[in-house]
Amino acid sequence: MTTNNTKDPLVIFTPSGKRGHFPSGTPVLTAARQLGVDLDSVCGGRGICSKCQVEPSFGEFPKHGVTVSETALSEWNSVEQRYDDKRGLAKGRRLGCQATIQSDVVIDVPAGSQVHRQVVRKRAEARDITINPAVRRYYVEVEQPDMHEPSGDLERLRQALEKQFDISGIDADLHVMQSLQPILRKGDWKVTCAVSTGITEGTGAQKPAILQVWPGYHETPLYGLAVDLGSTTIAAHLCDLTTGEVVASSGIMNPQIRFGEDLMSRVSYSMMNDGGADEMTRAVREGMNALFTQIAIEAEIGTDQIMDVVFVMNPVMHHLFLGIDPYELGQAPFALCTSEALSVRASTLGLAIHPSARAYILPSIAGHVGADAAAVTLSEAPDKSEDLVLLVDVGTNAEIQLGNKDKVYACSSPTGPAFEGAQISSGQRAAPGAIEHLTIDPITKEPRFQVIGSELWSDEPGFAESIASSGITGICGSGIIESVAEMRMAGILDASGLIGSAEQTGSSRCFADGRTNSYTIWDGTADGGPLITVTNPDIRAIQMAKAALYSGARLLMDKFETDTVDRVVLAGAFGAHISPKHAMVLGMIPDCELDKVTSAGNAAGTGARIALLNVAARGEIEEIVGNIIKIETAIEPSFQSHFVSASAIPNATEPFPILSSIVTLPDVNFNTGGGDGASSGRRRRRRG
């Protein structure tokens, strides 16, 4: 077990966030096991299987309150050297069974070392898209060289493309010229060219360019990638540029997560550590290349067959991916280096795809409303809507848009990572074994739930067998939202966010937990499993997150001078798994007819695919973004008053008449100290 001696080194594991103090000399694998960290090991710690690879991080970590020295782990030993000689260890990796703790340390557990792999819930949504890609094939017949009219082979190829296809001003990289002459002669002066036709209008304009030349008529498929670079996950869709078909989709955890789970933590890391921004840039680019290799293997193609790529991302990811220090995004007025669309060679970004491939990055809307929000706009088209639509991309930083064909407002709201299971006592990311759906019987107060990896509910026959491989490991974002809402509907939780005692609720699942109460969802300790509870600090974290989200939406409604919206669209991988009823009971979103609350799935990824497969959409979104009205919540006086009201569940001042007609919330008050429950709860926490 972990020691209680706080003089012992502090060990913090990411991405789980689990921590504890251990005596100097404790193996990393031992610490991980005692803390319940998801670190694999098949060989029993003998240094044979290499499943327990970890990656220590060094430098200052203000979020965790530690400074990690280069000597935080024991020196490289002979077992690690032997394994490295035989099979190779990635740079910076250590074997958790061999490395021992010497001083305070932050240790990242890579996805490949986790027993329960991350479920990246970002898939390609079905969508009709007009196929008009930036990269196309052209079969041309080139005039042979003539002693009487001397000119280079490249010049005559350019002339042929201009004459036969009206493409002028074409560039060609050196690697094209290096192989051009033998290809022309092998094809008897008939060749097929892959040409990036360029964007002739808009801020992301680029010249046409020859990417590849083949002898004769060549029908090789051309591929492109639509990439959604999120702060937590990176998702990519490989598309056939001719047919528009999604050939393969895949995703990985963003390797930057070891520098901080939320965006501001990463900005702080770059501020506090010399070269920190460059370190995070290298990490995300290496992760991107690993993802591209993975998706190419899945599709059984070479990465050099990927000739176009479109990126969407939030502003901090935008800067770190491009190698721009995000310092200015960490302080008012949150200035972007550039909000314009960009088109650059993929090789400039260190991407291991076709050497002449171009990368297009959608424009950003504002300082914390990025290219991912622009992609959502392209996908969901609020600017073309007859009714008033609220678009919410739920994440660690919620990006919110409200509009119709007359105008569109946009803002961001700092919700933090609670919706993704972070800062929650039993929280985890979406992975097999995580509770994702839950209901509570209002009479018995007994819960029933589903976990990722099984379609059965916990009270159905065969449930235990269906989760035998994963077990029950924790609760993810959608599960914690439904838990809090269900606790409110069952009378276990009052409007201020206080959990009642066993006597007050009539449920033995409620128990005293320090100065407040907690509610037990699952007790697996008898079988060596976890105790999964919802605590009052968990409730507070969700209250703060949902209040920030609702306040941003309410602020935009004020700008429209309206108290209602016609429909709500929840975007993002996480938004696709949110129950509209539970979201409204919680007070995350404005009162609305439940059938008017829909999910757009990974709308940012869909917008990226639209921009990949239809080059005209790139100019279109650049124009639309220029017309969106940006609202900065930090300088809006009404944001704070909305936030205070929205801290209650569902809301202290908004009536929510539609919700009230569907759900009757119990009139309970568990604040025994008098006064407002939420505020008195905050006072108790400050004294404690």
Side-chain angles (χ1 to χ4, degrees):
M1 297 181 65
T2 63
T3 69
N4 293 320
N5 185 358
T6 55
K7 292 182 180 179
D8 287 332
L10 174 64
V11 183
I12 301 166
F13 287 94
T14 62
S16 67
K18 294 182 178 179
R19 60 175 61 201
H21 290 274
F22 293 86
S24 179
T26 302
V28 171
L29 179 60
T30 301
R33 284 173 170 170
Q34 291 185 13
L35 289 173
V37 173
D38 199 12
L39 179 58
D40 203 357
S41 177
V42 174
C43 69
R46 290 174 292 173
I48 299 171
C49 71
S50 83
K51 297 290 186 182
C52 63
Q53 292 184 31
V54 296
E55 190 165 343
S57 299
F58 308 105
E60 294 187 31
F61 294 85
K63 175 182 176 181
H64 301 304
V66 297
T67 299
V68 181
S69 72
E70 295 283 345
T71 58
L73 294 182
S74 58
E75 293 183 0
W76 182 267
N77 69 15
S78 59
V79 176
E80 291 172 301
Q81 186 62 55
R82 183 184 68 207
Y83 185 87
D84 189 42
D85 291 340
K86 288 184 177 180
R87 301 184 188 177
L89 274 173
K91 185 178 180 182
R93 294 274 180 96
R94 299 292 302 274
L95 294 182
C97 62
Q98 300 299 311
T100 62
I101 297 157
Q102 304 298 315
S103 60
D104 293 352
V105 64
V106 176
I107 298 174
D108 182 61
V109 180
S113 299
Q114 296 172 19
V115 179
H116 304 99
R117 304 292 192 263
Q118 169 74 15
V119 176
V120 180
R121 291 173 157 179
K122 295 188 176 183
R123 60 183 179 87
E125 307 295 331
R127 182 63 63 91
D128 291 330
I129 302 172
T130 302
I131 308 302
N132 178 27
V135 179
R136 295 175 177 270
R137 279 193 306 266
Y138 296 91
Y139 175 71
V140 293
E141 297 184 2
V142 181
E143 290 187 8
Q144 298 185 30
D146 189 332
M147 292 286 289
H148 300 289
E149 295 183 14
S151 65
D153 287 348
L154 176 60
E155 287 70 32
R156 281 180 283 102
L157 175 57
R158 284 173 171 160
Q159 290 168 4
L161 284 165
E162 182 170 6
K163 181 178 180 181
Q164 296 170 40
F165 296 100
D166 198 25
I167 305 173
S168 58
I170 303 175
D171 279 338
D173 290 346
L174 180 60
H175 85 92
V176 173
M177 290 183 270
Q178 289 170 337
S179 60
L180 179 61
Q181 291 189 303
I183 289 173
L184 281 168
R185 285 153 180 82
K186 182 178 180 180
D188 193 24
W189 306 98
K190 301 176 183 68
V191 294
T192 301
C193 302
V195 177
S196 176
T197 53
I199 309 164
T200 56
E201 297 179 0
T203 54
Q206 64 185 36
K207 293 179 66 177
I210 300 170
L211 307 183
Q212 185 79 42
V213 182
W214 297 274
Y217 180 69
H218 198 72
E219 289 188 314
T220 183
L222 305 179
Y223 297 99
L225 280 168
V227 183
D228 180 4
L229 170 53
S231 55
T232 304
T233 58
I234 309 173
H237 306 299
L238 181 70
C239 301
D240 185 315
L241 295 178
T242 304
T243 66
E245 176 190 1
V246 178
V247 178
S249 295
S250 192
I252 61 169
M253 293 288 288
N254 187 334
Q256 288 181 345
I257 204 163
R258 66 178 181 269
F259 303 103
E261 289 185 341
D262 58 87
L263 298 174
M264 287 302 100
S265 293
R266 296 180 205 178
V267 174
S268 296
Y269 184 86
S270 73
M271 291 177 175
M272 301 295 293
N273 294 275
D274 289 339
D278 293 338
E279 192 178 358
M280 287 186 282
T281 295
R282 285 193 299 273
V284 75
R285 290 182 179 179
E286 288 170 3
M288 197 79 72
N289 281 328
L291 173 59
F292 293 174
T293 299
Q294 174 181 316
I295 206 168
I297 291 172
E298 182 182 337
E300 298 181 345
I301 68 167
T303 53
D304 60 351
Q305 291 177 258
I306 301 169
M307 296 191 175
D308 198 16
V309 58
V310 169
F311 291 99
V312 300
M313 61 200 82
N314 63 58
V316 173
M317 288 297 96
H318 175 279
H319 280 40
L320 288 173
F321 179 55
L322 293 174
I324 301 169
D325 194 318
Y327 177 84
E328 295 298 338
L329 291 173
Q331 58 187 354
F334 313 112
L336 286 155
C337 178
T338 179
S339 60
E340 295 182 343
L342 296 173
S343 183
V344 299
R345 281 179 170 82
S347 57
T348 303
L349 301 174
L351 301 180
I353 53 178
H354 192 281
S356 289
R358 268 46 175 179
Y360 177 79
I361 301 169
L362 269 69
S364 293
I365 296 175
H368 283 293
V369 188
D372 48 356
V376 172
T377 305
L378 185 59
S379 172
E380 300 306 308
D383 57 302
K384 297 180 177 66
S385 176
E386 291 290 337
D387 50 15
L388 187 60
V389 56
L390 178 71
L391 286 178
V392 183
D393 194 345
V394 187
T396 54
N397 186 65
E399 294 168 322
I400 308 165
Q401 299 179 58
L402 179 67
N404 55 25
K405 60 183 179 59
D406 296 326
K407 58 186 174 183
V408 178
Y409 287 99
C411 73
S412 68
S413 202
T415 53
F419 286 149
E420 296 184 346
Q423 299 178 345
I424 303 300
S425 59
S426 298
Q428 66 169 85
R429 291 194 175 82
I435 295 172
E436 62 173 342
H437 296 300
L438 179 141
T439 65
I440 298 176
D441 187 298
I443 306 300
T444 65
K445 318 297 183 187
E446 288 296 299
R448 60 194 291 267
F449 51 83
Q450 285 183 310
V451 301
I452 297 175
S454 173
E455 295 183 357
L456 298 177
W457 285 83
S458 57
D459 58 351
E460 291 182 313
F463 172 75
E465 292 78 10
S466 72
I467 62 165
S469 61
S470 65
I472 301 172
T473 56
I475 186 165
C476 66
S478 60
I480 191 66
I481 287 174
E482 294 186 14
S483 296
V484 176
E486 287 284 331
M487 289 169 68
R488 180 73 183 94
M489 289 189 287
I492 297 168
L493 185 71
D494 69 13
S496 74
L498 286 176
I499 301 173
S501 65
E503 293 76 14
Q504 290 169 320
T505 63
S507 173
S508 61
R509 287 185 174 270
C510 294
F511 63 95
D513 190 2
R515 294 175 179 267
T516 55
N517 299 299
S518 295
Y519 174 78
T520 301
I521 293 176
W522 171 260
D523 187 353
T525 54
D527 298 319
L531 174 66
I532 300 174
T533 63
V534 178
T535 69
N536 247 121
D538 295 340
I539 302 293
R540 296 301 180 219
I542 292 297
Q543 282 179 286
M544 297 304 99
K546 73 96 176 181
L549 178 59
Y550 181 86
S551 301
R554 181 67 233 194
L555 183 62
L556 298 189
M557 291 166 67
D558 290 346
K559 297 297 180 182
F560 255 94
E561 299 181 349
T562 183
D563 292 324
T564 60
V565 298
D566 296 319
R567 56 190 178 95
V568 178
V569 178
L570 300 173
F574 177 57
H577 296 269
I578 297 175
S579 156
K581 183 179 82 169
H582 291 98
M584 206 169 296
V585 169
L586 194 60
M588 285 178 62
I589 57 177
D591 195 46
C592 185
E593 297 287 350
L594 289 184
D595 62 355
K596 297 294 185 182
V597 182
T598 59
S599 168
N602 183 19
T606 300
R609 280 198 299 131
I610 293 171
L612 174 70
L613 297 171
N614 185 351
V615 70
R618 304 182 188 184
E620 177 186 345
I621 191 57
E622 291 174 25
E623 181 180 356
I624 292 170
V625 165
N627 294 325
I628 292 176
I629 305 166
K630 297 86 175 174
I631 304 298
E632 179 51 64
T633 58
I635 60 174
E636 292 288 338
S638 60
F639 181 84
Q640 188 59 35
S641 61
H642 287 315
F643 185 91
V644 172
S645 296
S647 297
I649 302 172
N651 197 289
T653 57
E654 301 288 339
F656 281 71
I658 297 173
L659 176 65
S660 298
S661 69
I662 302 168
V663 176
T664 300
L665 298 177
D667 185 15
V668 292
N669 183 355
F670 301 132
N671 174 30
T672 57
D676 173 69
S679 61
S680 63
R682 287 191 290 271
R683 287 195 295 272
R684 284 197 295 275
R685 288 201 310 281
R686 284 197 293 271
R687 290 198 297 270

